[in-house]
Amino acid sequence: MYRNDGFRELERQECLRLLAKVPVGRIVHTRQALPAVLPVNFCLDADGAVLLRTAAGSELVRAVDGTVVAFEADEVDAATHSGWSVVVTGSATVVTDPAEHERLVRTGPRSWVPSPREVFIRVAPELVTGRELVGGRSMYGLDLSS
Amino acid sequence: MYRNDGFRELERQECLRLLAKVPVGRIVHTRQALPAVLPVNFCLDADGAVLLRTAAGSELVRAVDGTVVAFEADEVDAATHSGWSVVVTGSATVVTDPAEHERLVRTGPRSWVPSPREVFIRVAPELVTGRELVGGRSMYGLDLSS
């Protein structure tokens, strides 16, 4: 997050409350040494960790397991120039503990269309930041200091 | 983009046509060695470059000028499990040529609220990729191979 941009910074709890409202965010990682970003559906665990569900052996798993990623979600209204953006930054790990996997099968995100063998990816909520854009202020406001 | 995930890959022209439909995307870059992602309004130049307008001296400018970034936009309907995502990957540079700057003042993106001194950032369309999610298929489909 950039400082001195005139935006309202959101508290961690406010960020998590907003994240819980939306079904889809974007996982930002590095792939073949290039920045990569991919929309994914998700849900939040009780501690604020972002949970994704994906096919075992997918390229996403190989790309993010054990790395630090950012997970972003936003809602922006271009007509009123208002909205919010939240980013969770932290280590991504595949859930390997069988009991934890079973818990997430029951309570974690659902596949929109299931794959035969799936795993859960957890993004630890090490850094949770967000900002709110008030109508009429600069959309660069979502990103820019003056 | 990940292969073998059952998604429809979009052609470059189709990607640019979709990008032109939406006012806001997300610039993905590295900030203090961490992945960073920020919503921004934008427009496309004739060659498919992504044009952003921001305050001169902003932290975004310092973070991305001269680096390779990804710019992503998407539209996803969680109810029908359909949508698209497009990513432009390329070098980000601040426009320093005065004539080019003047051209972009006339034809480039508008500030939602202007800042006293603004610059344009151009993301070269070195790699333009996209995929379409057809309703009823896996949302992981937006990212996952099986």
Side-chain angles (χ1 to χ4, degrees):
Chain A
M1 291 288 125
Y2 301 104
R3 289 171 298 179
N4 305 320
D5 56 6
F7 260 58
R8 189 167 84 83
E9 298 284 331
L10 301 174
E11 301 290 332
R12 181 183 178 97
Q13 284 309 313
E14 209 166 5
C15 290
L16 296 177
R17 184 183 60 76
L18 288 167
L19 272 185
K21 284 174 51 181
V22 294
V24 172
R26 294 150 203 95
I27 186 160
V28 169
H29 56 292
T30 300
R31 182 164 182 261
Q32 297 174 351
L34 290 175
V37 50
L38 222 44
V40 282
N41 66 328
F42 74 104
C43 72
L44 290 183
D45 209 353
D47 65 350
V50 173
L51 296 168
L52 315 178
R53 184 171 183 159
T54 177
S58 69
E59 288 198 50
L60 183 66
V61 167
R62 289 194 292 276
V64 307
D65 190 23
T67 73
V68 173
V69 303
F71 183 83
E72 191 263 0
D74 58 56
E75 284 188 323
V76 177
D77 183 335
T80 61
H81 295 189
S82 62
W84 57 267
S85 170
V86 166
V87 180
V88 174
T89 307
S91 302
T93 47
V94 171
V95 172
T96 54
D97 178 72
E100 177 68 354
H101 180 88
E102 278 310 303
R103 181 181 74 86
L104 295 179
V105 167
R106 293 192 307 274
T107 64
R110 304 266 171 166
S111 296
W112 286 12
V113 171
S115 168
R117 210 165 66 84
E118 294 176 335
V119 293
F120 294 94
I121 298 174
R122 170 189 292 274
V123 179
E126 290 158 21
L127 190 63
V128 180
T129 58
R131 52 184 49 195
E132 186 183 30
L133 169 65
V134 182
R137 301 187 75 165
S138 168
M139 177 57 189
Y140 309 131
L142 266 183
D143 61 292
L144 302 179
S145 57
S146 57
Chain B
M1 290 291 127
Y2 300 104
R3 290 171 296 179
N4 306 322
D5 56 6
F7 260 58
R8 189 167 84 84
E9 298 284 330
L10 301 174
E11 301 291 331
R12 181 184 178 100
Q13 285 309 314
E14 208 167 7
C15 290
L16 296 177
R17 183 182 62 75
L18 288 166
L19 272 185
K21 285 174 50 181
V22 295
V24 172
R26 294 149 204 97
I27 186 162
V28 170
H29 55 293
T30 300
R31 183 164 180 261
Q32 297 173 353
L34 290 175
V37 50
L38 222 43
V40 283
N41 66 327
F42 75 104
C43 72
L44 289 184
D45 209 352
D47 65 348
V50 174
L51 296 168
L52 315 177
R53 185 171 183 159
T54 174
S58 68
E59 288 196 52
L60 183 65
V61 167
R62 290 194 292 278
V64 306
D65 190 21
T67 72
V68 173
V69 304
F71 183 83
E72 190 265 358
D74 59 57
E75 284 187 323
V76 177
D77 183 335
T80 60
H81 295 190
S82 62
W84 56 267
S85 170
V86 167
V87 179
V88 175
T89 307
S91 302
T93 48
V94 171
V95 173
T96 54
D97 178 70
E100 176 69 356
H101 181 88
E102 278 312 303
R103 180 180 76 85
L104 295 179
V105 167
R106 295 192 307 275
T107 64
R110 305 263 171 168
S111 296
W112 286 11
V113 171
S115 169
R117 210 165 67 82
E118 293 176 336
V119 294
F120 294 94
I121 298 173
R122 169 190 291 276
V123 179
E126 292 157 20
L127 190 64
V128 180
T129 56
R131 52 183 51 197
E132 187 183 29
L133 169 66
V134 182
R137 302 187 73 165
S138 168
M139 177 60 190
Y140 309 130
L142 266 183
D143 63 292
L144 301 180
S145 56
S146 54

